[in-house]
Amino acid sequence: MSIISIPATFMRGGTSKALMIKAEHLPADKSQWTDLLCSAMGSPDKFGRQLNGMGGGVSSVSKVCVVAKSERADADIDFTFVQVMVHERALDMSGNCGNMLSAVGPFAVDEGLVNVEGDEAFVRIYNTNTKKIMHSRFPVKDGQSVYAGNLQIPGVSGTGAPIRLDFIDPAGATTGKFLPTGSVIDTLTLADGTQIKASLFDVANACVIIRASDVGLTGYEQPEELEARKDVLVKLSEIRIAGSLAMGISQTREEAMSKGQVPFIAFLSKAKTKDLDFNARVISAGQPHKALPLTITLCLAVAAKTKGSIAFEMMSSHGHEQVRIGMPSGVLTAGAVIEDKMGVTKPLSGAFFRTARKLFKGEVYVTGLI
């Protein structure tokens, strides 16, 4: 195959990094994206480092965002999130990425996909993966995005301009249902016959929520500690597969294994300090996160306000709007608006502040055919 180039911008969004590509620069047929985007990111890589591409060897920096003008009346931009597998020649487009969402609005403005006036942009974003709408607000100057600012977020050194993200009607992003099984807590049966309690929620992305203690963990392990516990990662993978089947995301074990991103799996533990409500660790694409995915932060915040769930059980106190979740790189606060009528809980929206930064713009060289 020949070496070709694709116009692209490399950006940090929240605690992730990704190639930002206009949809017009990729084939309309998404089945043709695999070879192109895997080549761009350096996958598959048996060494797990993606040295032959733009990826960094972990799921949070092996991502691509494909952006286009939207034809929808309620959106300005269509955003397709692509998780590029590190060890496999495969893409996962089954879920959204809240962190990279923070870069989508500024990228769209800078690329002329959205025209703005004044000193603040308001960009309505339709995520094609989850079929959900998000709103992005951020400062602009002379029609271009402003990246410099004073907001610092956990897991990122330095500061940046605040980007407000509002998830509108976030429930059922993956399965179409807030509670895919209809219950706030289920008993999952694994392939070896063992059982484990789990809360299966679908808000912004689907997530399997379990107690850290139920898998022999404290919930305060650092990512490198978890990576060294191959037995635990295998166990968590089995729980995730069982959750995928129970939620109806996959119909077979093989299908569940092929969908590396959703559902995510989170294991929780009680807070040890007064500055947080509970502690969480998250696994996606088989790898422990150094921070929390934004979509799963929202999912956990909603679960924490839903009586009977494992997240509700872990909360140090109830009744306040903000939920403070401990993670490997600090504390992340999520604001979730919940409606509770006749004992039925429904998430209406969730809001976060993130920062983003443009790292470079040019062309990425790939092997493939367009």
Side-chain angles (χ1 to χ4, degrees):
M1 291 187 178
S2 59
I3 301 295
I4 58 177
S5 64
I6 300 174
T9 300
F10 197 49
M11 295 185 71
R12 175 185 64 78
T15 53
S16 294
K17 288 193 291 187
L19 280 175
M20 314 291 292
I21 301 175
K22 289 184 182 179
E24 64 192 71
H25 295 138
L26 289 174
D29 182 359
K30 291 181 181 179
S31 68
Q32 298 180 36
W33 289 9
T34 302
D35 286 343
L36 295 170
L37 300 184
C38 282
S39 175
M41 301 308 288
S43 297
D45 187 349
K46 65 180 180 180
F47 303 106
R49 300 178 67 190
Q50 293 177 304
L51 287 177
N52 207 30
M54 296 300 301
V58 293
S59 61
S60 60
V61 292
S62 184
K63 301 180 176 184
V64 178
C65 299
V66 182
V67 182
K69 282 188 176 182
S70 182
E71 296 182 356
R72 295 174 59 95
D74 58 354
D76 304 302
I77 293 297
D78 289 343
F79 158 47
T80 300
F81 172 65
V82 184
Q83 180 72 61
V84 182
M85 299 295 105
V86 175
H87 298 280
E88 309 163 58
R89 188 182 301 277
L91 308 179
D92 190 340
M93 291 184 278
S94 57
N96 189 11
C97 175
N99 276 293
M100 285 314 307
L101 175 68
S102 62
V104 170
F107 172 77
V109 167
D110 292 349
E111 291 296 314
L113 297 174
V114 177
N115 295 319
V116 296
E117 296 180 357
D119 57 5
E120 182 182 69
F122 171 58
V123 181
R124 302 169 302 162
I125 302 169
Y126 174 69
N127 178 239
T128 65
N129 309 74
T130 60
K131 309 298 188 291
K132 293 292 184 177
I133 296 289
M134 284 75 62
H135 294 165
S136 178
R137 292 177 172 85
F138 50 91
V140 292
K141 184 177 181 181
D142 299 327
Q144 292 289 291
S145 304
V146 173
Y147 295 98
N150 296 319
L151 178 64
Q152 184 168 28
I153 62 174
V156 178
S157 62
T159 61
I163 300 169
R164 180 183 169 118
L165 300 173
D166 289 276
F167 289 73
I168 311 302
D169 186 23
T174 304
T175 66
K177 299 177 181 178
F178 167 42
L179 295 172
T181 67
S183 301
V184 293
I185 193 162
D186 290 272
T187 301
L188 300 179
T189 301
L190 309 188
D192 64 1
T194 60
Q195 294 184 324
I196 189 167
K197 296 290 185 181
S199 290
L200 308 176
F201 279 71
D202 183 3
V203 181
N205 264 325
C207 187
V208 178
I209 305 168
I210 63 171
R211 303 179 185 96
S213 58
D214 285 349
V215 288
L217 298 171
T218 67
Y220 281 82
E221 289 83 1
Q222 292 299 308
E224 54 272 18
E225 295 177 71
L226 292 171
E227 288 167 356
R229 296 284 304 275
K230 301 301 181 186
D231 58 327
V232 172
L233 291 179
V234 169
K235 179 84 168 181
L236 292 171
S237 177
E238 289 295 324
I239 296 170
R240 194 190 76 85
I241 289 169
S244 182
L245 295 170
M247 297 168 95
I249 296 171
S250 304
Q251 301 306 310
T252 65
R253 176 182 173 84
E254 290 70 29
E255 184 185 359
M257 292 175 66
S258 71
K259 293 181 177 179
Q261 187 189 9
V262 292
F264 289 72
I265 182 164
F267 52 93
L268 313 184
S269 56
K270 295 274 190 177
K272 292 181 179 179
T273 59
K274 294 181 178 180
D275 64 336
L276 56 92
D277 293 304
F278 62 87
N279 200 64
R281 297 291 187 266
V282 171
I283 308 285
S284 73
Q287 296 178 312
H289 272 260
K290 297 182 184 298
L292 284 187
L294 208 63
T295 53
I296 299 308
T297 303
L298 176 55
C299 192
L300 292 175
V302 170
K305 295 186 175 186
T306 306
K307 292 181 180 179
S309 75
I310 288 174
F312 185 88
E313 165 196 317
M314 291 292 166
M315 285 283 286
S316 57
S317 63
H318 296 278
H320 46 88
E321 181 179 345
Q322 302 291 319
V323 179
R324 304 159 303 165
I325 306 173
M327 59 173 182
S329 54
V331 178
L332 191 55
T333 301
V337 178
I338 305 295
E339 179 184 72
D340 197 338
K341 287 186 177 180
M342 305 293 291
V344 178
T345 301
K346 179 184 177 182
L348 301 180
S349 65
F352 301 90
F353 281 95
R354 298 274 87 185
T355 63
R357 184 186 172 201
K358 186 185 294 185
L359 302 174
F360 77 75
K361 179 180 178 179
E363 298 177 327
V364 60
Y365 290 88
V366 303
T367 301
L369 298 174
I370 293 185

